[in-house]
Amino acid sequence: MLTTTHNLSFSARADLPNNTSLSIYLLHLICIKKSNLCVSADVNSTSALLRLAEDVGDSICVLKTHADIIDDFGERTIKGLKEISKRKKFLIFEDRKFGDIGSTVQAQYTRGPLSIATWAHLTNAHIFPGPAIITALHSAAASTIEAINKCVLTEISAGTPRPSSDYDEDEDEDEDEDEDEDENEDETQDGELDYGFSRPGDNRPMSSSGRKGSVVTAITTISQTVETHDRTPSTLSRTTSAGEDEVTDREAALEELGDPPLARGLLLLAEMSSEGNLMTGPYTQSCVQAARSNSDFVLGFVAQHSLNEKRGDNFLCFTPGVSLPPEGEEQRNAKTGDDLGQQYRTPAKVVREEGCDVVIVGRGILVAGDRK
């Protein structure tokens, strides 16, 4: 099915009006890296997640996470994931699939052990609770960005003086903690908020090291950063030539592109790849209408084909259920699947015929001998 964006290059789409800053960034990123691949990080530990991000980071545009299946998810997970994302140049998409009343999804998005809004560029939601779920998440995202941009962090430690023999016993431990504290200070000075202290909306003081002090101390750090929220197409158009998806110097182009804008975006779950799902027909069209009414926050869909049907539509289509065909069967477009209802299609099918923009691949890469 041909859509309004089917014959446009990614860089040309980045120049269209009414794009979000994240859409523009992602479209240029796809051009520069020559990759529209999103890897689904269906792993269960922080070490496995960060190792996967290192392995595939140079070859992807987006990493999709499931934070709630990481057994040891915590500050180490967040800090490591953000660092690799920044260094390898890819966006983080937390596949949370929100679906509740406004006040509940706001809390789920910003609070608790996951605090998704503080680290994930993208997340997704169902609209069966009604379109108000979009405005609720948008409001929560805006509040989080404001808190990150201007935040007062306080660290308080207190303790009782100890005999010198106690310090001698803990000397090695203290040296390790000093190194950790120096690393935290460097990151804060660079403008990256270290949530080892506290998250936006959480006013409780937290020690980043848990170190016992010999005297009562109070340290207040005021951190204020100003980042560009909106990057216009003209800002990034020099990374490609003549509006085409051709880049002569990848590293220089990535350097010019820089870090992702400090912004958040939402994908609506319009269609699914599982057999017998109910996201069809009128429900899918309701998603499209809701996206058009909230295009300053909704940058696209999780769907099985492009939903850009009207003039002015420029939504990104993220498509799961994509797998490379068995060797020797590359020309076939037949669906395959597993015994849990998942159905797979080939990259050629979803990109060339269905007009999808970002292909989501999980198991096919996770179990590969060489994931790079």
Side-chain angles (χ1 to χ4, degrees):
M1 175 183 178
L2 294 180
T3 64
T4 58
T5 55
H6 188 83
N7 294 320
L8 294 177
S9 68
F10 287 113
S11 57
R13 289 177 61 182
D15 289 337
L16 294 176
N18 303 319
N19 277 322
T20 69
S21 56
L22 277 178
S23 293
I24 297 171
Y25 185 89
L26 180 54
L27 287 164
H28 280 288
L29 189 63
I30 292 172
C31 296
I32 296 170
K33 298 184 83 171
K34 292 183 171 62
S35 172
N36 64 340
L37 175 62
C38 169
V39 168
S40 182
D42 301 326
V43 296
N44 304 117
S45 69
T46 293
S47 60
L49 174 62
L50 299 185
R51 185 165 56 247
L52 175 65
E54 286 283 2
D55 287 347
V56 304
D58 289 327
S59 304
I60 64 175
C61 60
V62 179
L63 184 71
K64 183 170 77 72
T65 59
H66 286 283
D68 53 1
I69 68 171
I70 303 295
D71 295 330
D72 59 345
F73 187 90
E75 298 301 332
R76 173 173 165 257
T77 319
I78 296 173
K79 185 182 295 186
L81 197 55
K82 290 170 67 177
E83 189 278 325
I84 299 172
S85 164
K86 184 176 181 179
R87 173 163 47 86
K88 298 278 189 177
K89 294 291 190 297
F90 59 81
L91 298 184
I92 304 170
F93 164 29
E94 168 54 23
D95 190 7
R96 180 58 179 81
K97 297 182 175 72
F98 290 106
D100 213 317
I101 62 172
S103 59
T104 298
V105 298
Q106 285 184 328
Q108 291 172 329
Y109 189 32
T110 62
R111 305 189 66 85
L114 302 185
S115 295
I116 295 165
T118 64
W119 53 271
H121 305 102
L122 305 172
T123 191
N124 55 1
H126 298 283
I127 64 156
F128 55 71
I133 192 173
I134 301 174
T135 54
L137 289 169
H138 193 182
S139 174
S143 297
T144 300
I145 295 301
E146 182 180 2
I148 293 174
N149 251 333
K150 187 175 183 180
C151 187
V152 177
L153 306 178
T154 304
E155 179 180 8
I156 300 176
S157 61
T160 303
R162 296 176 292 171
S164 59
S165 60
D166 289 344
Y167 286 101
D168 291 339
E169 293 175 359
D170 294 339
E171 183 177 357
D172 292 340
E173 180 182 350
D174 289 347
E175 290 177 356
D176 291 339
E177 291 172 349
D178 287 339
E179 293 176 1
D180 292 340
E181 290 174 356
D182 290 341
E183 292 176 1
N184 289 337
E185 291 174 1
D186 290 342
E187 290 182 7
T188 302
Q189 291 170 0
D190 289 339
E192 184 69 21
L193 186 61
D194 180 2
Y195 289 106
F197 293 97
S198 62
R199 294 189 176 94
D202 186 351
N203 297 320
R204 297 173 297 169
M206 296 174 60
S207 171
S208 63
S209 63
R211 184 176 180 181
K212 297 179 180 179
S214 58
V215 294
V216 176
T217 60
I219 302 173
T220 301
T221 302
I222 299 178
S223 174
Q224 180 172 341
T225 63
V226 178
E227 299 193 25
T228 303
H229 287 254
D230 296 308
R231 296 183 178 183
T232 61
S234 59
T235 305
L236 303 176
S237 60
R238 290 171 295 171
T239 61
T240 57
S241 58
E244 300 297 330
D245 294 347
E246 294 295 333
V247 177
T248 56
D249 188 334
R250 168 182 158 130
E251 295 308 315
L254 286 174
E255 181 68 23
E256 182 181 354
L257 183 66
D259 298 331
L262 184 58
R264 299 292 179 258
L266 184 67
L267 301 173
L268 296 183
L269 287 143
E271 295 176 323
M272 294 186 69
S273 56
S274 54
E275 186 178 6
N277 77 83
L278 303 180
M279 294 182 182
T280 59
Y283 184 86
T284 299
Q285 286 304 311
S286 294
C287 289
V288 174
Q289 292 298 331
R292 288 171 180 156
S293 300
N294 296 273
S295 59
D296 55 341
F297 184 51
V298 177
L299 59 81
F301 308 97
V302 176
Q304 294 298 294
H305 69 286
S306 175
L307 298 174
N308 293 332
E309 299 170 354
K310 288 188 176 181
R311 184 179 181 85
D313 286 348
N314 190 23
F315 297 108
L316 289 162
C317 179
F318 284 61
T319 302
V322 177
S323 179
L324 292 175
E327 187 175 355
E329 298 184 16
E330 290 82 359
Q331 303 304 317
R332 295 182 58 189
N333 280 325
K335 290 183 179 180
T336 59
D338 61 18
D339 57 0
L340 297 176
Q342 176 65 298
Q343 299 180 102
Y344 295 108
R345 295 183 298 168
T346 66
K349 174 70 174 179
V350 300
V351 174
R352 293 177 184 171
E353 297 183 26
E354 303 292 357
C356 303
D357 301 305
V358 178
V359 295
I360 302 175
V361 180
R363 279 169 269 185
I365 291 176
L366 296 182
V367 301
D370 181 5
R371 300 192 298 202
K372 297 181 181 181

